[in-house]
């Protein structure tokens, strides 16, 4: 089948692994801002967009909850192992954001959210075989087994998550040492990306788990 050919192609697997990282990263900045209880935008409340975000901000714990949901969805995506639950959470949250950006006529933002919607739909289609049992009413349904990303990418996703969250948190602290720590975490991010992809380039077997 065409899907099986696409699903087992190692270059496609590499694209999906890094698409999960990219989409996961997209939710962390806005999510952490809400978790820390900060305003997401400084747009005046005279503007419908600013008024909308200010109302959400004034909701208190709900504002923090939205941010926490975004952070959890982003981290789950980057773990690779729990990418499907992360993609489902991401789709649920992003579909609301997407409609908001269209209905409030965000300048240009609707294009970004539309591209993000396409990306998360691609991720859901990629793992759609895992969703079959949910819709197989009163029918026996086995999940088709495809190789999952190697442990290398799971570890890399954890490093990405921790380092990026640390950088965003440090950016909110106005101290001299935070710049150096941010630089260290930035080097960790860059080093992780280079090392993992070099290993994948030198050894194609490091991309996916070997099925037994």
């Amino acid at each position: 089948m065409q899907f099986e050919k696409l699903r087992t192609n190692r270059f496609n697997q590499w694209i999906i692994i890094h698409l999960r990282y990219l989409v996961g990263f997209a939710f962390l900045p806005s999510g952490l801002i809400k978790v820390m209880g900060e305003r997401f935008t400084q747009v005046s409340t005279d503007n419908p967009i600013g008024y909308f975000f200010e109302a959400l901000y004034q909701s208190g714990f709900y504002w923090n909850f939205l941010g926490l949901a975004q952070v959890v969805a982003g981290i789950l995506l980057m773990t690779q192992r729990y990418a499907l639950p992360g993609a489902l959470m991401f789709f649920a949250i992003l579909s609301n954001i997407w409609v908001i950006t269209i209905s409030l006529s965000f300048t240009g933002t609707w294009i970004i959210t539309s591209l993000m919607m396409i990306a998360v739909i691609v991720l859901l289609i990629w793992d759609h075989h895992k969703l079959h049992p949910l819709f197989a009413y009163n029918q026996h349904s086995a999940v088709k087994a495809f190789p999952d990303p190697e442990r290398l990418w799971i570890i890399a996703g954890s490093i990405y998550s921790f380092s990026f969250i640390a950088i965003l948190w440090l950016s909110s602290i106005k101290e001299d040492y935070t710049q150096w720590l941010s630089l260290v975490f930035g080097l960790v991010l860059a080093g992780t990306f280079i090392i993992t992809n070099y290993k994948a380039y030198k050894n194609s077997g490091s991309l996916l788990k070997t099925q037994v």
Side-chain angles (χ1 to χ4, degrees):
M1 294 177 61
Q2 190 65 28
F3 175 73
E4 291 191 10
K5 291 181 179 179
L6 292 173
R7 194 64 172 67
T8 54
N9 182 278
R10 290 186 178 274
F11 179 72
N12 291 340
Q13 286 278 3
W14 184 89
I15 292 293
I16 292 298
I17 286 171
H18 287 81
L19 184 60
R20 288 168 178 162
Y21 290 149
L22 181 62
V23 174
F25 274 139
F27 256 8
L28 291 184
S30 59
L32 285 171
I33 287 175
K34 296 181 183 72
V35 170
M36 293 187 292
E38 303 291 339
R39 285 181 170 83
F40 181 69
T41 179
Q42 299 300 322
V43 178
S44 171
T45 53
D46 294 333
N47 185 298
I49 297 174
Y51 186 84
F52 174 80
F53 277 110
E54 181 62 21
L56 283 177
Y57 173 75
Q58 294 296 338
S59 66
F61 176 70
Y62 180 65
W63 180 250
N64 305 128
F65 173 77
L66 288 175
L68 182 61
Q70 288 180 291
V71 171
V72 170
I75 292 176
L76 287 176
L77 269 173
M78 288 191 287
T79 63
Q80 300 296 330
R81 178 172 295 179
Y82 304 106
L84 180 57
L88 290 170
M89 282 187 66
F90 199 99
F91 180 76
I93 299 169
L94 183 62
S95 58
N96 284 274
I97 296 174
W98 180 58
V99 172
I100 289 170
T101 58
I102 294 175
S103 62
L104 292 181
S105 301
F106 280 55
T107 304
T109 307
W110 69 271
I111 298 176
I112 298 174
T113 56
S114 296
L115 292 174
M116 292 172 68
M117 280 292 291
I118 293 172
V120 75
I121 288 172
V122 168
L123 294 179
L124 289 174
I125 292 174
W126 183 261
D127 283 331
H128 81 275
H129 60 287
K130 297 179 181 179
L131 298 173
H132 282 172
L134 297 178
F135 302 100
Y137 182 70
N138 283 341
Q139 296 179 12
H140 174 72
S141 179
V143 177
K144 175 69 176 179
F146 289 107
D148 289 324
E150 251 297 350
R151 184 179 297 273
L152 171 72
W153 304 103
I154 297 173
I155 295 173
S158 300
I159 294 173
Y160 288 147
S161 300
F162 179 80
S163 299
F164 197 60
I165 289 173
I167 291 173
L168 291 172
W169 178 69
L170 289 169
S171 66
S172 65
I173 303 175
K174 307 302 180 182
E175 298 290 346
D176 294 336
Y177 71 88
T178 59
Q179 295 181 350
W180 292 103
L181 285 176
S182 295
L183 178 60
V184 170
F185 283 114
L187 292 174
V188 170
L189 285 172
T192 301
F193 179 81
I194 293 171
I195 292 171
T196 53
N197 284 280
Y198 177 75
K199 286 187 175 181
Y201 172 75
K202 295 294 289 184
N203 179 17
S204 60
S206 65
L207 186 64
L208 302 174
K209 288 182 179 179
T210 303
Q211 288 186 306
V212 293

